[in-house]
Amino acid sequence: MTGWRPLLPAAAAGTTLTALGLLSLTVPAARTLPGNASGPHLAPPSARYPFGTTDTGLSVLDLVVFGAHRTLIIAALSTALALGVGTATGVLAGHFQGWPDRVLSRFTQWVLVLPQLPLAITIAAVLGPGLAQLSLAIALAYWPATARVVRAAVVATESLPHLERARALGAGHWRQIRVHTWPAVLPVVITCTTLTLGNALLSEATLSFFGLGDTTSVTWGGMLQDASGIGAITAGAWWYLLAPGLAITLVVMVCSIAGRSTEAALGRHQAHGLLLRRPRWRRSAAGEPAGPEPV
Amino acid sequence: MRAARVAGTLLARLTGVLFLGFALFHLLPGDPVSALTRGRPVTTEDLATIRAGFGLDLPLWKQFTSYVTALAHGDLGTSLAAHRPVADMLAERIGPTLLLTVSATVLSVTVGIATGVAAGWRPRGIGDRVGTGAAIVLWSAPTFWLGMLLMAILGVAAGLFPIAGMRSTESGGGGVLDVAHHLVLPCITLAAVQYAQYHLLIRSAVAAERHAVYVTLARAKGLPDALVRWRHAVPNAMAPTLSLVLTNLGFVVSGAVTVEAVFSWPGLGDLTFEALRGPDPPVLHGTFLLLCGSVVTADAIADVVLRRFDRRGGTT
Amino acid sequence: MTLLELDGLSVAYPAGQRWARAVRGVSLSVAAGEVVGLAGESGCGKTSVAMSVLRLLPRTAKVTGRIRFGGTDLTGATWGELRAVRWAQAAVVFQGAQHALNPMHRIGTQIAEPALRHGLVTRSAAAAHAADLLQRVGLAPELARDHPHQLSGGQRQRALLATALSCSPRLLIADEPTSALDSVSQAAILGLLRELAAERGIGVLLVSHDLGALAAVCDRIAVMYAGRIVEQGSAEAVLGDPAHPYTEALTGAATVIGDPATRYAPRSLGGAPPDPLSTAPGCAFAPRCPHAGPDCGGEIPLRPAGPGRLVECVRVAS
């Protein structure tokens, strides 16, 4: 077994994400949007405003903290939707095989090939603005990755002896999935969650930039769009861009570290793990014949 | 027959894109036209024009047949803003998009291979830590934000490069150097985002090949380290890398769409951006069909190319 | 003339905070024209011994002791000196030809590559060189244009042997060259090795778990257990009259062709090999040994038991 050490980055990233989630839920309760613009307009960073102010005299840092709430809610909602659709498709395709698998897999493969952003943009544009519509548009563009990975994991467990035994003993499909397939697929779903969460955050930002965001509240992507809308770049007001962009980058980074290290720790890609590398040579170089390898 | 199967899949997928385009703009519950134009200053006459343009006042089956017939004739409708055929508008945007994506891909592949191989060959070395760290940061940053930062720093503050458009003059003059000058920032931005992907993929592929028996054999043959790496390990690492990258063309196109919107690079992404601002549903519909259709087609071509490249497919 | 001389060779791999000691003080020599067998179970350290000769172990492996090849000490050699010895003087036939051949290169290219890089043939003569070597190992020269996946397992193994002969080495290290092959191909490869030793004076270090294969071609045999050579001597003596209880058990476990009794009731060894992390003193085989006694826990002397024969066991009378 891999031991606890490889799980360290995953645990650290998971803790950060959870803390962030809790923070974003409590922040709006603790403070309201600093609506009364008290500061100077579009001022560079200073001791009082560490990330500068907006054109309306609000602290950029305050806005970023406040915007975390809505941003993370959209990301969480679209991730939940994408994972629900993806996992359901993957489990159905992998478990029932035969024609349902062929149909579902081809469909998944097709959506996977389509360029995500134009797809999400068009769906979001047709659905119209709003939190739910935005989340749905993101989810519809990002579910296939989960479906494919989950299907592969299910197919791998389907041929295991204990599942064949369960089948032979007459376990129903639901029981087979719940008792035998699900535990094996869960780690894969966790990895997908973190990676989809990162993608969802980036999509929210990009769709906001295209004017398709949720305009009823402050989000990080929406802040960037506002900044570009008032010409912050040509005005040289780089600070208006800095904090929201950094916030997105940091959270996405935490997500991808969490995803990659869980993946590595679970040994799915041993040598492909990014932050944790398990020396593969140890087995073969110690004089044992190399184990079965993919041809 | 392999070729027939690829062609069949391609045909099915293109038909799927067609259906999706129809469904998004004709079938959706509610009224996509009013959704698209909500909160915008549109007159009732405009709305009627858009509806008639999409044939939304006709029965559904008639809508579909006329949709397919029109598409078969290359007719994508007329732009509301420019009052020109959408097909013409799309055609003149293809060139700039290709220029941007190809140049950025060449740049990012070159840099990605160089740093990815170095990092994968000596994992945990200083080069790996710096290169891979940078790649993760670039991978995590929103594309348009990177573009805006580059624009603010290199374009506005330093004044080194133009920040918008493809040419200095409206008339289309300016020559190759002028276009290249305009290309620098969009190209770097798009390359930076793609670079992360190439670096990470090549890094892990090389790290995996590093302990392959044939690499040890190459070393045992007395070859210098550079030859072992570039002649033996890297070509084998390229096959999985290429397949992953080629099957992920959607990612490149998504990046290009964003970068074009940021830098007003007159390609399909910028046109999408304009169509959203307009709002100009026929144009949005056109860019959607063209972007999805071309990515699906490119994916099929990539599939064929890859089978040729990867000699490891067959076993005894 | 002694070609290869290992003296007190030890190899350890890092395992967390500790060291897994795969090889623990092995001394062995191979002379020109001699076929020496290195026998033992999986995990006994025989591949580590084979790979340490040309220093092909991972960087993290700790190698101590002496490796002398043709009078030069390879343990202290620079990378440049080492590259000159690699393949030009000593070549390796790797185990698992399927993974040892580069899937992207043509067979001919791979065979001629070492000779080309060591400046022994010109670029224009490389193709003829490859064809020549293919014929020498009994393959059609046309195979030079194929890629590894187009060859059968036996053909690949022969191609690998042809690659090893590319620079006419003085020493061949063959690591399980026949373990993945059918018995006909096996016999052919072993015959080739025997021929090379007899006719061209090449020294061969043949690593295998297959005692039958070793008995067929070896002049001398060394038996490894848990990183140590527990017994070595002439092939007939070691296999015909094993002195160490482990060798005895191994020969008992091997089937004897023509004697069905050994096939139906092989004498298997109880227990499992010791943990490579263990640092317990004394005979590592004692826990599985039917003759073990209290004196097995102390220092075990290497005792001569006949001409050219060494055994590491307190039960053996010198």
Side-chain angles (χ1 to χ4, degrees), chain B residues 2 5-7 9 13 243 246-247 249 296-309:
Chain B
R2 163 119 214 116
R5 211 167 68 221
V6 172
T9 309
R13 286 181 174 179
S243 74
L246 285 181
T247 51
L249 286 165
V296 165
T297 312
D299 180 72
I301 297 171
D303 190 34
V304 174
V305 172
L306 262 178
R307 302 274 166 178
R308 301 222 145 190
F309 185 79

Tab-separated table of all heavy atoms in Angstrom, chain B residues 2 5-7 9 13 243 246-247 249 296-309:
chain	number	residue	atom	x	y	z
B	2	ARG	N	-10.677	0.621	-41.549
B	2	ARG	CA	-10.417	1.661	-40.569
B	2	ARG	C	-10.849	3.036	-41.107
B	2	ARG	O	-11.516	3.800	-40.430
B	2	ARG	CB	-8.923	1.610	-40.255
B	2	ARG	CG	-8.390	2.785	-39.614
B	2	ARG	CD	-7.788	2.554	-38.245
B	2	ARG	NE	-8.089	3.767	-37.501
B	2	ARG	CZ	-8.854	3.792	-36.449
B	2	ARG	NH1	-9.351	2.672	-35.987
B	2	ARG	NH2	-9.114	4.901	-35.822
B	5	ARG	N	-14.452	3.583	-41.059
B	5	ARG	CA	-15.000	3.783	-39.723
B	5	ARG	C	-14.774	5.216	-39.256
B	5	ARG	O	-15.652	5.844	-38.673
B	5	ARG	CB	-14.390	2.789	-38.742
B	5	ARG	CG	-15.379	2.447	-37.669
B	5	ARG	CD	-14.957	1.252	-36.847
B	5	ARG	NE	-13.813	1.520	-36.035
B	5	ARG	CZ	-12.821	0.652	-35.868
B	5	ARG	NH1	-12.860	-0.494	-36.473
B	5	ARG	NH2	-11.819	0.942	-35.098
B	6	VAL	N	-13.552	5.728	-39.514
B	6	VAL	CA	-13.272	7.119	-39.138
B	6	VAL	C	-14.224	8.052	-39.862
B	6	VAL	O	-14.803	8.965	-39.261
B	6	VAL	CB	-11.799	7.478	-39.458
B	6	VAL	CG1	-11.567	8.970	-39.264
B	6	VAL	CG2	-10.864	6.672	-38.582
B	7	ALA	N	-14.425	7.796	-41.168
B	7	ALA	CA	-15.316	8.648	-41.958
B	7	ALA	C	-16.743	8.575	-41.419
B	7	ALA	O	-17.426	9.591	-41.292
B	7	ALA	CB	-15.275	8.231	-43.423
B	9	THR	N	-17.716	7.815	-38.316
B	9	THR	CA	-17.772	8.534	-37.046
B	9	THR	C	-17.826	10.033	-37.290
B	9	THR	O	-18.611	10.754	-36.671
B	9	THR	CB	-16.533	8.199	-36.198
B	9	THR	OG1	-16.402	6.792	-36.128
B	9	THR	CG2	-16.644	8.778	-34.814
B	13	ARG	N	-20.699	12.578	-36.174
B	13	ARG	CA	-20.421	13.683	-35.252
B	13	ARG	C	-20.807	15.025	-35.854
B	13	ARG	O	-21.312	15.909	-35.158
B	13	ARG	CB	-18.942	13.673	-34.871
B	13	ARG	CG	-18.616	12.552	-33.912
B	13	ARG	CD	-17.175	12.570	-33.522
B	13	ARG	NE	-16.935	11.557	-32.499
B	13	ARG	CZ	-15.759	11.319	-31.972
B	13	ARG	NH1	-14.711	12.003	-32.353
B	13	ARG	NH2	-15.615	10.390	-31.043
B	243	SER	N	-0.941	12.107	-28.956
B	243	SER	CA	-2.324	11.649	-29.000
B	243	SER	C	-3.172	12.466	-28.036
B	243	SER	O	-4.283	12.864	-28.363
B	243	SER	CB	-2.411	10.162	-28.683
B	243	SER	OG	-2.216	9.945	-27.313
B	246	LEU	N	-3.495	16.081	-29.583
B	246	LEU	CA	-4.334	16.155	-30.783
B	246	LEU	C	-5.796	15.900	-30.461
B	246	LEU	O	-6.684	16.462	-31.095
B	246	LEU	CB	-3.851	15.156	-31.832
B	246	LEU	CG	-2.577	15.565	-32.565
B	246	LEU	CD1	-2.198	14.524	-33.583
B	246	LEU	CD2	-2.749	16.915	-33.238
B	247	THR	N	-6.049	15.048	-29.484
B	247	THR	CA	-7.445	14.795	-29.154
B	247	THR	C	-8.002	15.894	-28.261
B	247	THR	O	-9.131	15.826	-27.835
B	247	THR	CB	-7.620	13.444	-28.443
B	247	THR	OG1	-6.693	13.392	-27.364
B	247	THR	CG2	-7.376	12.292	-29.383
B	249	LEU	N	-7.963	19.218	-29.148
B	249	LEU	CA	-7.964	20.434	-29.952
B	249	LEU	C	-9.007	21.433	-29.464
B	249	LEU	O	-8.847	22.630	-29.607
B	249	LEU	CB	-8.238	20.082	-31.408
B	249	LEU	CG	-7.067	19.425	-32.130
B	249	LEU	CD1	-7.524	18.792	-33.416
B	249	LEU	CD2	-5.992	20.446	-32.392
B	296	VAL	N	-14.248	18.971	-34.720
B	296	VAL	CA	-14.635	17.571	-34.919
B	296	VAL	C	-13.887	16.978	-36.115
B	296	VAL	O	-13.372	15.869	-36.073
B	296	VAL	CB	-16.166	17.469	-35.102
B	296	VAL	CG1	-16.545	16.118	-35.669
B	296	VAL	CG2	-16.872	17.690	-33.778
B	297	THR	N	-13.795	17.767	-37.203
B	297	THR	CA	-13.087	17.296	-38.388
B	297	THR	C	-11.596	17.133	-38.104
B	297	THR	O	-10.988	16.115	-38.463
B	297	THR	CB	-13.283	18.291	-39.546
B	297	THR	OG1	-14.670	18.603	-39.634
B	297	THR	CG2	-12.814	17.709	-40.852
B	298	ALA	N	-11.014	18.130	-37.445
B	298	ALA	CA	-9.586	18.061	-37.128
B	298	ALA	C	-9.289	16.848	-36.252
B	298	ALA	O	-8.256	16.193	-36.407
B	298	ALA	CB	-9.149	19.344	-36.422
B	299	ASP	N	-10.214	16.542	-35.351
B	299	ASP	CA	-10.028	15.388	-34.477
B	299	ASP	C	-9.963	14.094	-35.290
B	299	ASP	O	-9.146	13.211	-35.017
B	299	ASP	CB	-11.174	15.320	-33.469
B	299	ASP	CG	-11.029	14.146	-32.526
B	299	ASP	OD1	-10.145	14.217	-31.659
B	299	ASP	OD2	-11.769	13.164	-32.686
B	300	ALA	N	-10.813	14.002	-36.306
B	300	ALA	CA	-10.809	12.800	-37.147
B	300	ALA	C	-9.491	12.686	-37.915
B	300	ALA	O	-8.892	11.605	-38.005
B	300	ALA	CB	-11.990	12.836	-38.124
B	301	ILE	N	-9.010	13.815	-38.432
B	301	ILE	CA	-7.730	13.797	-39.151
B	301	ILE	C	-6.608	13.389	-38.191
B	301	ILE	O	-5.757	12.555	-38.514
B	301	ILE	CB	-7.446	15.185	-39.765
B	301	ILE	CG1	-8.524	15.521	-40.801
B	301	ILE	CG2	-6.067	15.237	-40.394
B	301	ILE	CD1	-8.477	16.946	-41.304
B	302	ALA	N	-6.634	13.966	-36.994
B	302	ALA	CA	-5.615	13.643	-35.997
B	302	ALA	C	-5.621	12.150	-35.691
B	302	ALA	O	-4.564	11.525	-35.535
B	302	ALA	CB	-5.867	14.442	-34.720
B	303	ASP	N	-6.809	11.586	-35.639
B	303	ASP	CA	-6.948	10.157	-35.355
B	303	ASP	C	-6.218	9.329	-36.412
B	303	ASP	O	-5.459	8.412	-36.096
B	303	ASP	CB	-8.446	9.804	-35.330
B	303	ASP	CG	-8.680	8.404	-34.812
B	303	ASP	OD1	-7.909	7.981	-33.943
B	303	ASP	OD2	-9.616	7.750	-35.286
B	304	VAL	N	-6.433	9.686	-37.675
B	304	VAL	CA	-5.787	8.959	-38.770
B	304	VAL	C	-4.269	9.118	-38.701
B	304	VAL	O	-3.511	8.151	-38.802
B	304	VAL	CB	-6.327	9.451	-40.131
B	304	VAL	CG1	-5.551	8.810	-41.263
B	304	VAL	CG2	-7.805	9.152	-40.248
B	305	VAL	N	-3.829	10.358	-38.490
B	305	VAL	CA	-2.390	10.637	-38.440
B	305	VAL	C	-1.728	9.843	-37.319
B	305	VAL	O	-0.674	9.238	-37.489
B	305	VAL	CB	-2.151	12.151	-38.237
B	305	VAL	CG1	-0.678	12.434	-37.984
B	305	VAL	CG2	-2.630	12.920	-39.447
B	306	LEU	N	-2.407	9.826	-36.166
B	306	LEU	CA	-1.827	9.164	-34.999
B	306	LEU	C	-1.616	7.674	-35.228
B	306	LEU	O	-0.602	7.109	-34.822
B	306	LEU	CB	-2.758	9.340	-33.807
B	306	LEU	CG	-2.366	10.465	-32.885
B	306	LEU	CD1	-3.374	10.573	-31.780
B	306	LEU	CD2	-0.990	10.203	-32.324
B	307	ARG	N	-2.583	7.036	-35.855
B	307	ARG	CA	-2.463	5.590	-36.107
B	307	ARG	C	-1.210	5.308	-36.924
B	307	ARG	O	-0.581	4.282	-36.771
B	307	ARG	CB	-3.668	5.080	-36.875
B	307	ARG	CG	-4.969	5.341	-36.184
B	307	ARG	CD	-5.288	4.232	-35.204
B	307	ARG	NE	-6.351	4.683	-34.337
B	307	ARG	CZ	-6.890	3.941	-33.388
B	307	ARG	NH1	-6.453	2.721	-33.169
B	307	ARG	NH2	-7.848	4.418	-32.644
B	308	ARG	N	-0.907	6.222	-37.830
B	308	ARG	CA	0.276	6.038	-38.650
B	308	ARG	C	1.530	6.215	-37.807
B	308	ARG	O	2.511	5.513	-37.979
B	308	ARG	CB	0.307	7.076	-39.762
B	308	ARG	CG	-0.893	7.004	-40.649
B	308	ARG	CD	-0.461	7.173	-42.062
B	308	ARG	NE	-1.289	6.361	-42.914
B	308	ARG	CZ	-1.020	6.150	-44.195
B	308	ARG	NH1	0.067	6.661	-44.716
B	308	ARG	NH2	-1.802	5.406	-44.921
B	309	PHE	N	1.476	7.189	-36.921
B	309	PHE	CA	2.659	7.553	-36.155
B	309	PHE	C	2.992	6.503	-35.107
B	309	PHE	O	4.143	6.146	-34.909
B	309	PHE	CB	2.440	8.903	-35.478
B	309	PHE	CG	3.650	9.417	-34.753
B	309	PHE	CD1	4.684	10.023	-35.450
B	309	PHE	CD2	3.765	9.276	-33.379
B	309	PHE	CE1	5.801	10.478	-34.787
B	309	PHE	CE2	4.886	9.737	-32.718
B	309	PHE	CZ	5.902	10.338	-33.429
